[in-house]
Amino acid sequence: MTDSEIKIPITETSNPLTVDIDISSSYDLVGLLHQCDSEIFEGWDSYKSNNIFSDDLIFNLQRVSEKVVDILQKRNPACESVVFSGCGTSGRIGFLTSKSINNLLRNIDYKPCCEYIIAGDDKALLTSQESPEDSPQAGVKALQQICKKKKKVLYIGISCGLSAPFVAGQLLYCMEHLDIFTPVLVGFNPVEQARNNPIEGWNETFLSVVTKLSDVQSAGNGFIINPILGPEAITGSSRMKGGTATKLLLEIIMLNALRQLSSSMELGFVPDEDASHYLTADGAIRCNHLMHMYETVCKETYPQALSGGLHEVIDWAGTSLNAGRHVYYIGIDNIGVLGLVDASECPPTFGADVNDVRGFLFGGYTALENREGDLVIKSCPPVQEIIPIEDTMRRSYRDHQGSELEIGANYFVGTILHSLTPQDTVIFLTSSCSELNPAMKMMVQIVRGKCHQVVVFVCYRDANDTHEDIMPQFFSKIVRIRIPVTPYIRSFMEEEGKKPSWFDLLGVHAARRFAAELSCKLLLNAVSTGAHIQKGKVYKNLMVDLKLSNSKLFQRGIEIVKSLVMCSEDTARASVLRSLYGTNVVSEELKKMPVSEHTRIGSFKTKVIPTSLILASKGCLIHEAMEILLKFPVIRAALAQLWSVSNKTMAHFST
Ligand code: F6P
């Protein structure tokens, strides 16, 4: 590795496995994603000892679970809570975990004790809100709000790249209040690769905060959970491996905690020191088993998906996007929420329109169970008039203003269904092959009458489902994933002679459900990534049409220009600035502007990186670069055309 490569964090480096992913068939693409995901469990490169099965990591997971148990045992969520926090997909996965675990707790008559924070508030659960990620102050404010009056908080901050200032602010705040907070950081780079860029209006960097947290960890007051997963299949796209690993790590912590709670209730004693050693060792074994369960799920999902024709669905979705049409996900429960999560990342990652890939959920906001409730109503301006007028206005506001926040399957039926064409792709998502929501049954019939590309992804939670499989009555195309019975699940089912505890029943059910969700996430990521590759939004394995909507993405954009054009950092930066501001000259004033100003413009300006790439490699004027893009609207084609005549760049690619 060269010096400059060492400086680039692993989560931002290109995965050697996928450098040709943009010219792979969709069948091969699924295989490449499978190989990349295997690295989550096998470890990566020289970091194999820091893999997800390492003793240190498993021990830390167990210790964090013990902290959760302490909180659960108090049964006082007004004063004691577990808080998950993050930006983008990291925040969304935290939300999903808190929702699942709170529902589990309600089932055993415990009060829900999990809270979530996402940068940009609830609308960020559904749409990309990148700029709040840059504010440590906003992070602290959100944490203070959620933790008002709390006496004990287990804070779990997630930043896959160890990079989000929003999370750094919260971690520092927790460390300043260790009497209340136990800080936990989840991320996927070695600590020394945490981001060290200055943060506007703050004296710390992510690196300086993590360095402090390492000391806090050594003193036993905090935890860093940072297995090395290897680079993403699409460089920097942390929604993929990063999101997957986040999901399984949070679930392992929480499932293990519930198991421990159930054991201590059965044993009916507060463990003394010896017993607590025993419980710790036992818990570590359970964490390990659970990890194996998720590994098996990843291993089994891809081959099963290919035999169900996932590659054909990717081709359908690619054809839809290329025809200017849409990919719709319509799902039930958390599987449906995963559709919303997958769709929400397409605009920042691929410069997509919010309507290109869109998710809908049966039950809408009621099923989402977010803190702020119906966001369409919430975004409606206050109306002073009498109530009937207010209702009418709200309805008309709903029709005209808030459509990107509409997530209900009803909205799909009322507003989108009539305009479906045979070129759209509709993907139904469910987790049972023997039951289908009645509303979904009706909808499928209508959708199939209008659109040829209709499929269901069924990720079963029940391994021994003996009920009749009704899917073929409704769908001609079914991508079916059966969740295998792994030793973890078996260990609960086969303990003969023992009366099952509530956890044996509920925990097994939850583990299967989590496994099914993970399978579904992998399928959805494959579809949206594959479709955007087919639309030309990826060159080699780089997201060449990303939106420069926060400081991390701004820096990533510069790195993309630098590595593809093989130019200096200065040239790359100047091209990005010229493209952002539509100018031929980068003035001194422009050079001095804060990054926050560039990202403000970058949030709405399109095709910034494609234009920068042309500027940097051709040394042309801005209008000439734009003309090239007008002539070749497919970005990958524009770049291929450009570089087919550039010997320098061709030489680069042939090495
Ligand atoms: O900045 C956007 C983004 O890259 C999202 O795509 C991603 O989900 C989010 O940041 C979170 O990144 P991290 O977990 O590394 O803080």
Side-chain angles (χ1 to χ4, degrees):
M1 270 195 196
T2 64
D3 274 0
S4 86
E5 276 169 336
I6 289 167
K7 277 190 219 128
I8 300 176
I10 292 166
T11 55
E12 290 288 327
T13 51
S14 154
N15 195 320
L17 287 171
T18 57
V19 280
D20 287 332
I21 197 167
D22 60 334
I23 48 169
S24 303
S25 68
S26 48
Y27 192 94
D28 291 342
L29 174 136
V30 175
L32 289 172
L33 296 183
H34 186 179
Q35 284 183 52
C36 277
D37 282 349
S38 302
E39 292 173 340
I40 298 177
F41 303 97
E42 287 161 8
W44 184 73
D45 205 44
S46 57
Y47 294 90
K48 287 237 162 40
S49 59
N50 299 22
N51 82 353
I52 212 156
F53 284 106
S54 76
D55 289 346
D56 287 352
L57 182 107
I58 297 277
F59 182 72
N60 263 356
L61 290 180
Q62 163 61 16
R63 295 291 312 285
V64 177
S65 293
E66 287 168 14
K67 299 278 176 200
V68 176
V69 177
D70 288 346
I71 288 174
L72 290 173
Q73 277 174 333
K74 301 285 169 28
R75 285 175 167 257
N76 188 2
C79 294
E80 307 210 359
S81 302
V82 180
V83 175
F84 303 100
S85 178
C87 312
T89 296
S90 301
R92 294 175 196 126
I93 299 289
F95 158 73
L96 206 58
T97 311
S98 78
K99 169 172 149 65
S100 302
I101 300 298
N102 282 343
N103 285 335
L104 257 174
L105 289 171
R106 282 190 197 100
N107 277 329
I108 54 165
D109 282 339
Y110 269 65
K111 286 192 187 130
C113 74
C114 298
E115 304 276 1
Y116 67 91
I117 299 175
I118 179 162
D121 301 325
D122 271 9
K123 62 183 177 310
L125 294 172
L126 315 167
T127 58
S128 118
Q129 306 290 328
E130 307 300 333
S131 58
E133 185 173 324
D134 277 343
S135 171
Q137 294 83 1
V140 172
K141 202 166 152 211
L143 185 62
Q144 285 171 329
Q145 226 156 25
I146 290 292
C147 298
K148 253 187 260 160
K149 299 194 190 143
K150 304 259 184 212
K151 302 217 160 42
K152 270 268 160 292
V153 174
L154 177 70
Y155 164 86
I156 306 185
I158 310 139
S159 181
C160 299
L162 304 188
S163 62
F166 185 87
V167 172
Q170 296 176 336
L171 284 169
L172 188 67
Y173 182 81
C174 291
M175 288 189 277
E176 288 163 353
H177 299 86
L178 285 173
D179 52 327
I180 296 178
F181 292 92
T182 304
V184 181
L185 169 63
V186 176
F188 308 112
N189 280 320
V191 163
E192 62 281 6
Q193 287 190 350
R195 196 154 169 236
N196 200 23
N197 295 32
I199 295 172
E200 278 177 43
W202 213 42
N203 293 329
E204 305 277 350
T205 65
F206 207 106
L207 178 63
S208 70
V209 171
V210 180
T211 309
K212 288 183 181 137
L213 185 57
S214 299
D215 295 340
V216 168
Q217 172 167 250
S218 309
N221 297 322
F223 302 91
I224 302 177
I225 294 178
N226 62 331
I228 305 306
L229 319 172
E232 296 286 353
I234 302 300
T235 308
S237 183
S238 58
R239 76 192 190 115
M240 303 182 84
K241 285 159 96 167
T244 297
T246 302
K247 184 163 173 16
L248 64 89
L249 288 169
L250 300 187
E251 289 164 359
I252 289 175
I253 291 170
M254 299 309 287
L255 275 179
N256 188 36
L258 288 172
R259 177 67 161 113
Q260 254 162 273
L261 182 72
S262 144
S263 307
S264 62
M265 277 158 65
E266 271 173 53
L267 296 173
F269 72 105
V270 180
D272 62 21
E273 217 166 278
D274 285 348
S276 94
H277 277 310
Y278 165 75
L279 286 179
T280 300
D282 195 40
I285 293 171
R286 274 196 308 271
C287 286
N288 191 290
H289 275 171
L290 268 172
M291 199 72 86
H292 278 294
M293 175 188 84
Y294 287 106
E295 182 183 26
T296 312
V297 169
C298 276
K299 247 191 209 141
E300 302 253 343
T301 293
Y302 288 105
Q304 291 189 38
L306 276 178
S307 56
L310 177 66
H311 51 298
E312 287 152 9
V313 180
I314 293 172
D315 289 339
W316 286 355
T319 312
S320 295
L321 294 188
N322 275 317
R325 298 303 305 172
H326 312 275
V327 178
Y328 296 115
Y329 304 138
I330 308 174
I332 299 176
D333 295 339
N334 282 5
I335 295 255
V337 178
L338 285 166
L340 301 174
V341 171
D342 185 85
S344 67
E345 279 288 345
C346 295
T349 312
F350 303 113
D353 183 84
V354 283
N355 291 308
D356 288 351
V357 179
R358 224 173 133 176
F360 295 96
L361 178 65
F362 281 92
Y365 284 100
T366 313
L368 186 68
E369 300 178 75
N370 57 317
R371 191 181 304 119
E372 295 172 38
D374 187 329
L375 298 176
V376 182
I377 295 289
K378 194 168 173 266
S379 63
C380 176
V383 180
Q384 257 79 53
E385 274 83 348
I386 49 170
I387 287 161
I389 293 178
E390 183 180 337
D391 276 354
T392 318
M393 287 188 67
R394 280 192 194 286
R395 232 173 292 129
S396 103
Y397 186 81
R398 184 148 213 145
D399 291 345
H400 295 107
Q401 299 294 313
S403 70
E404 73 173 290
L405 294 171
E406 295 281 9
I407 57 165
N410 284 348
Y411 179 83
F412 178 84
V413 172
T415 313
I416 294 176
L417 193 58
H418 69 90
S419 58
L420 272 188
T421 73
Q423 286 162 306
D424 291 304
T425 299
V426 183
I427 303 177
F428 287 90
L429 311 170
T430 183
S431 55
S432 166
C433 62
S434 54
E435 283 170 33
L436 205 55
N437 173 319
M440 200 194 251
K441 276 186 195 165
M442 273 169 50
M443 199 194 284
V444 175
Q445 315 285 5
I446 307 171
V447 169
R448 285 191 62 191
K450 288 174 154 284
C451 176
H452 304 150
Q453 302 177 163
V454 184
V455 57
V456 65
F457 288 173
V458 203
C459 301
Y460 308 30
R461 47 178 103 150
D462 197 341
N464 295 325
D465 202 338
T466 49
H467 297 105
E468 186 201 356
D469 181 355
I470 59 166
M471 288 302 141
Q473 296 169 29
F474 295 92
F475 296 96
S476 50
K477 180 128 195 97
I478 304 166
V479 176
R480 180 194 304 278
I481 312 294
R482 270 182 103 95
I483 303 305
V485 183
T486 67
Y488 176 76
I489 295 179
R490 210 177 286 129
S491 71
F492 292 109
M493 298 198 302
E494 289 177 359
E495 257 182 277
E496 277 171 29
K498 179 179 164 278
K499 189 169 158 272
S501 70
W502 58 260
F503 182 83
D504 295 341
L505 303 171
L506 269 184
V508 172
H509 182 73
R512 284 214 191 105
R513 190 155 52 79
F514 290 154
E517 288 171 17
L518 191 76
S519 276
C520 189
K521 175 187 181 291
L522 301 181
L523 303 185
L524 292 166
N525 286 171
V527 170
S528 54
T529 303
H532 281 101
I533 288 177
Q534 292 192 8
K535 201 181 174 190
K537 297 292 191 166
V538 171
Y539 194 87
K540 304 243 118 202
N541 56 6
L542 301 171
M543 44 169 101
V544 285
D545 200 13
L546 80 163
K547 273 220 170 95
L548 304 191
S549 42
N550 66 30
S551 61
K552 176 181 75 183
L553 299 176
F554 179 73
Q555 191 55 41
R556 186 181 296 164
I558 293 175
E559 288 300 329
I560 289 174
V561 177
K562 213 171 114 185
S563 76
L564 278 181
V565 182
M566 288 203 312
C567 61
S568 68
E569 169 104 14
D570 285 351
T571 308
R573 175 178 279 268
S575 315
V576 168
L577 291 180
R578 284 179 62 198
S579 165
L580 259 180
Y581 292 92
T583 174
N584 285 320
V585 186
V586 180
S587 64
E588 283 309 308
E589 194 192 353
L590 202 56
K591 279 187 197 157
K592 284 188 204 132
M593 260 186 206
V595 173
S596 56
E597 183 53 23
H598 304 327
T599 58
R600 192 183 65 76
I601 309 275
S603 316
F604 56 82
K605 187 117 192 210
T606 57
K607 306 225 165 132
V608 175
I609 292 304
T611 313
S612 317
L613 285 164
I614 297 172
L615 289 172
S617 45
K618 272 186 82 85
C620 60
L621 297 173
I622 187 91
H623 77 270
E624 291 170 329
M626 287 158 92
E627 273 160 24
I628 294 178
L629 279 177
L630 270 181
K631 207 153 134 208
F632 297 98
V634 177
I635 288 146
R636 201 191 169 284
L639 299 179
Q641 161 73 21
L642 180 71
W643 287 324
S644 68
V645 291
S646 159
N647 292 337
K648 175 184 156 200
T649 317
M650 285 312 285
H652 163 58
F653 287 135
S654 58
T655 52

